[in-house]
Amino acid sequence: QWFNDVWIETKIKGQLLVASGVTSVNFFWRSALNDVYVIGRTKTRAERSKVLKIIRETEGVRSVTHHIEVR
């Protein structure tokens, strides 16, 4: 299971790095038993929505819990 979580985290990182309109350095995420927990800060709701959509659609992700602040 540990390997699965690391693989999910790696896939998320790659997708967020190439996504336009997303500043991936503003977010921190961890996967535990295929549940992803995200914290971070963004300037727009659109960026938050995009980040959450990318994570939710990542293969292997069962659920997403986030604490992303929009400033």
Side-chain angles (χ1 to χ4, degrees):
Q1 183 58 51
W2 173 82
F3 180 78
N4 237 10
D5 289 325
V6 170
W7 183 239
I8 287 171
E9 291 172 9
T10 302
K11 287 191 287 188
I12 291 170
K13 181 178 183 176
Q15 292 174 21
L16 291 179
L17 283 173
V18 298
S20 63
V22 174
T23 309
S24 63
V25 296
N26 291 334
F27 302 98
F28 178 77
W29 57 90
R30 281 290 177 248
S31 177
L33 302 174
N34 296 24
D35 298 326
V36 177
Y37 301 88
V38 186
I39 61 172
R41 216 179 270 168
T42 180
K43 292 182 179 180
T44 67
R45 289 182 183 182
E47 183 181 16
R48 177 178 65 186
S49 295
K50 189 170 193 175
V51 167
L52 293 175
K53 182 178 187 288
I54 289 169
I55 293 171
R56 284 186 182 114
E57 292 177 353
T58 299
E59 183 183 347
V61 173
R62 184 173 58 184
S63 70
V64 178
T65 302
H66 73 90
H67 299 283
I68 299 176
E69 179 183 8
V70 178
R71 288 193 157 198

